[in-house]
Amino acid sequence: MKNYKNFLLIVLAFLAGSAISLGTTLALAQSGDTNLIHGCVKNTLLPNAANLRIVGENVNCNANETALDWPKTASSGGNSDFVCVECIRRDILIRINQQNLINVNLDRAILSGSFLPNENFSGSSFVNAVLSGGIGVGESNFTDADLTNANLRGVNAHSTNYTRAKLTNADLSTGADLSNANFTDANLTDVNFTDSGLIGATNMDTATRTGIIWSNTTCPDGTNSDNNGDTCEGHLTP
């Protein structure tokens, strides 16, 4: 009986070791491409937890993670499908090697509920990205960024810089806070500002403003678009 128990323990140890080895093998390795940002995202996303970690190009993800790569530089019409729900600045999405997220391709990224204030997204691309759900990007810099068709409903974006940003057909409705934002030479064609707040926003008079939806919008001068003939035109100066 003793020999049988010893044999059983040896078999179990072997199987356990094999399982561990298999799990390590199944963890996806990074591509090694230095032109990409490399991350490992947990297979089961948890609220208020570090679901994504940035790693080096030759680092393997753990068995409970999936490798995720996306370009360092933006490219027109990109398709990154980067998912980082409830990202928290400096804890999950973080800065890459302590650098700001300049010229990053985040087209179609899902960043719902993330907290990313004071970030520098200059020149980055957010085409068809989802930045709704109470995401916080206050005081961030979107100079020359492309937010075409971006979902920004309810975004907390006070004091953000949208200088020369492309916001064509962006949805900035449903309580979006754009107070004190800078829209110098931005493209606001077909933007939806329904129920949004623009009080104190600057330089909107320099922006392209064709086809904007003004509805219950707090204009830069503090008046309501509904009381101004359903527009903020003529009320763009704080």
Side-chain angles (χ1 to χ4, degrees), residues 20 22 32-35 89 91 102 114 117 121 143 158 176 180 186 194 208 213-214 223 228-229:
I20 293 172
L22 179 60
D33 189 341
T34 57
N35 293 316
R89 185 170 76 91
D91 288 329
I102 300 172
S114 301
F121 294 109
T143 297
H158 67 88
N180 302 309
T194 300
T208 302
I213 298 176
W214 308 102
T223 61
N228 301 331

Side-chain angles (χ1 to χ4, degrees), residues 39-108:
C40 294
V41 61
K42 288 185 178 178
N43 296 330
T44 301
L45 299 180
L46 301 174
N48 302 317
N51 293 310
L52 172 70
R53 62 192 180 95
I54 305 302
V55 298
E57 61 269 13
N58 295 312
V59 175
N60 290 339
C61 294
N62 296 326
N64 65 335
E65 299 174 321
T66 297
L68 179 67
D69 298 337
W70 65 98
K72 288 183 178 179
T73 58
S75 59
S76 178
N79 182 17
S80 68
D81 278 337
F82 172 69
V83 179
C84 192
V85 177
E86 295 186 353
C87 292
I88 302 175
R89 185 170 76 91
R90 294 191 180 88
D91 288 329
I92 303 177
L93 181 56
I94 330 301
R95 301 165 184 269
I96 310 305
N97 296 324
Q98 302 301 312
Q99 299 299 311
N100 289 323
L101 299 175
I102 300 172
N103 295 321
V104 171
N105 181 358
L106 290 169
D107 290 349
R108 298 182 62 185

Side-chain angles (χ1 to χ4, degrees), residues 2 22 32 49 56 61 80 95 102 112 117 141 144 156 160 163-165 169-170 173 187 212 229:
K2 182 176 180 181
L22 179 60
C61 294
S80 68
R95 301 165 184 269
I102 300 172
S112 302
N141 184 6
D144 295 315
N156 181 355
T160 46
T163 297
R164 295 184 303 278
N169 202 42
S173 66
N187 189 337
I212 291 178

Side-chain angles (χ1 to χ4, degrees), residues 121-124 126 140-148 152 160-170 172 182-189 191 206-208:
F121 294 109
S122 298
S124 292
F126 294 87
S140 289
N141 184 6
F142 288 92
T143 297
D144 295 315
D146 189 350
L147 293 119
T148 299
L152 296 147
T160 46
N161 185 359
Y162 294 107
T163 297
R164 295 184 303 278
K166 185 185 295 184
L167 289 149
T168 304
N169 202 42
L172 283 155
N182 179 4
F183 290 98
T184 301
D185 296 325
N187 189 337
L188 302 178
T189 300
V191 168
T206 69
T208 302

